[in-house]
């Protein structure tokens, strides 16, 4: 009888399913989740700390993330959206789909400081035209020279309706040209080889030799210096300054009920996450680090001025400015 009971209990234990681990779902952009991006290392580091299952769901780019969450509404599967930037935060708040983060921001450090109860920054950088020195002997030295300098050399840019870099260029031009932006776009359109949905497609065309210039970041050449040992690809320094991007993450209404969401955001501001960012996302860390930057970062272009609109200014005018871009680029 005792042997029968032991055998029966053993059978029940073997048949019982393993206990499911708690899960955190994060929507982010595809470059973040790529094998060479920060996603795999972030997933490994956070799962080791939380004993949970971190699942990334990728969209093309930051604007596409907001569009997707807005479309899904309160039925979204995302606990956290990671990859918006300050050009989108006011519009994101207007959806009513994000909730205060509730974490301390003591470790957060970005130019101009940070005070936002909904979104937490994870990195920052400046947009730039990156060029191939083997193909471009005299890169543009100003935004004006880029926009008005003729049809050559060609450049690939990203769509401001789906991409945060594309939106960044739109705002950069508006900041410099103001009411003259439409005329500048019309002149610039002759130089644009193509407009891609997101950064990954644009940079892929650049590195494959399809175009000698691409809209990217001041920090992009650091990747080629560190990972490939080449200084072939460089960022052009613009006299007017460069538009700054601060990338953020926020908790959705769904994530409000998941304790892992706040835990991840707190983790995101510390070295377990921040030490990964410079040499995988190739941006500047926005939180506490323990690992010094590679010396290659000291050789990057240093913008003479950080250009930026407030989130409210962007929210109020983004649609009109995008419409202006569409009309001007199709002249």
């Amino acid at each position: 009888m005792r042997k029968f009971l032991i055998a029966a209990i053993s059978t029940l234990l073997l048949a019982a399913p393993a206990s499911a681990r708690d899960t955190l779902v994060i929507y982010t952009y595809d470059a973040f989740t790529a094998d060479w991006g920060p996603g795999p290392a972030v997933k490994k580091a956070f799962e080791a700390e939380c004993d949970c299952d971190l699942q990334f769901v990728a969209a093309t780019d930051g604007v596409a993330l907001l569009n997707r969450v807005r479309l899904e509404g309160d039925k979204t599967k995302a606990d956290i959206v990671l990859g918006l930037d300050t050009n989108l935060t006011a519009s994101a708040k207007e959806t009513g789909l994000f909730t205060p983060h509730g974490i301390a921001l003591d470790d957060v450090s970005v130019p101009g400081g940070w005070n936002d109860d909904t979104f937490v920054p994870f990195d920052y950088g400046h947009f730039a035209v990156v060029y191939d020195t083997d193909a471009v002997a005299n890169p543009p030295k100003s935004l004006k020279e880029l926009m008005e300098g003729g049809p050559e050399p060609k450049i690939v840019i990203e769509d401001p309706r789906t991409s945060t870099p594309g939106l960044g260029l739109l705002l950069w031009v508006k900041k410099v040209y103001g009411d003259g932006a439409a005329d500048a776009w019309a002149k610039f359109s002759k130089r644009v080889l193509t407009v891609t949905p997101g950064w990954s497609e644009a940079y892929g065309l650049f590195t494959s030799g399809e175009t000698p210039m691409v809209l990217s970041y001041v920090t992009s050449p650091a990747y080629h210096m560190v990972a490939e040992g080449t200084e072939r690809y460089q960022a052009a320094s613009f006299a007017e300054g460069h538009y700054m991007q601060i990338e953020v993450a926020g908790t959705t209404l769904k994530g409000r009920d998941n304790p892992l969401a706040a835990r991840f955001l707190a983790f995101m501001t510390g070295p377990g996450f921040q030490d990964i960012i410079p040499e995988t996302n190739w941006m500047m860390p926005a939180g506490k680090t323990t690992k010094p930057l590679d010396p290659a970062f000291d050789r990057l272009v240093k913008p003479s001025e950080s250009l930026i609109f407030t989130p409210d200014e962007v929210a109020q005018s983004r649609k009109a400015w995008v419409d202006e871009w569409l009309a001007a680029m199709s002249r």
Side-chain angles (χ1 to χ4, degrees), residues 1-13:
M1 182 66 173
R2 183 170 177 272
K3 289 182 180 179
F4 172 78
L5 287 173
I6 291 172
I9 292 170
S10 298
T11 300
L12 289 172
L13 288 173

Side-chain angles (χ1 to χ4, degrees), residues 13-246:
L13 288 173
L14 289 171
S19 58
R21 295 199 300 175
D22 293 332
T23 300
L24 181 70
V25 177
I26 298 179
Y27 284 8
T28 188
Y29 48 81
D30 54 12
F32 194 94
T33 62
D35 290 343
W36 41 263
V42 167
K43 175 180 170 68
K44 181 179 179 180
F46 185 64
E47 287 183 344
E49 179 181 298
C50 70
D51 190 29
C52 64
D53 183 17
L54 174 57
Q55 298 178 3
F56 286 120
V57 177
T60 304
D61 215 322
V63 182
L65 283 174
L66 179 56
N67 293 342
R68 175 170 180 168
V69 174
R70 183 185 283 120
L71 182 65
E72 293 177 346
D74 58 10
K75 293 183 173 57
T76 184
K77 292 180 170 57
D79 295 304
I80 287 174
V81 177
L82 184 154
L84 306 180
D85 65 14
T86 51
N87 299 319
L88 298 172
T89 52
S91 295
K93 289 178 182 179
E94 287 174 0
T95 67
L97 298 172
F98 291 86
T99 189
H101 53 71
I103 69 165
L105 299 177
D106 298 345
D107 290 335
V108 169
S109 178
V110 295
W114 189 260
N115 183 22
D116 190 306
D117 68 354
T118 303
F119 293 99
V120 181
F122 64 90
D123 67 19
Y124 70 92
H126 292 81
F127 296 113
V129 169
V130 175
Y131 65 98
D132 182 349
T133 61
D134 284 355
V136 180
N138 297 300
K141 296 175 177 59
S142 66
L143 186 67
K144 180 179 175 65
E145 188 178 337
L146 173 74
M147 303 297 289
E148 304 177 36
E152 299 291 340
K154 296 296 184 185
I155 186 172
V156 170
I157 64 172
E158 299 87 350
D159 194 322
R161 295 168 296 177
T162 53
S163 163
T164 51
L167 179 58
L169 179 61
L170 181 89
L171 300 175
W172 194 355
V173 171
K174 199 67 183 178
K175 194 74 173 174
V176 171
Y177 279 91
D179 293 339
D183 288 339
W185 283 121
K187 294 174 182 175
F188 179 64
S189 64
K190 300 175 179 61
R191 173 167 275 182
V192 177
L193 179 66
T194 191
V195 179
T196 64
W199 177 88
S200 295
E201 300 94 329
Y203 212 77
L205 289 172
F206 172 66
T207 54
S208 65
E210 297 295 322
T211 178
M213 300 196 304
V214 65
L215 174 65
S216 193
Y217 293 88
V218 163
T219 46
S220 296
Y223 162 76
H224 301 285
M225 294 180 204
V226 175
E228 298 177 343
T230 179
E231 300 198 10
R232 173 178 171 180
Y233 305 107
Q234 295 295 322
S237 179
F238 282 2
E240 304 94 341
H242 293 247
Y243 199 89
M244 184 169 69
Q245 180 186 46
I246 301 173

Side-chain angles (χ1 to χ4, degrees), residues 259-275:
L260 288 173
R263 186 170 178 180
F264 179 85
L265 291 181
F267 165 81
M268 189 182 74
T269 68
F273 183 105
Q274 290 294 314
D275 282 346

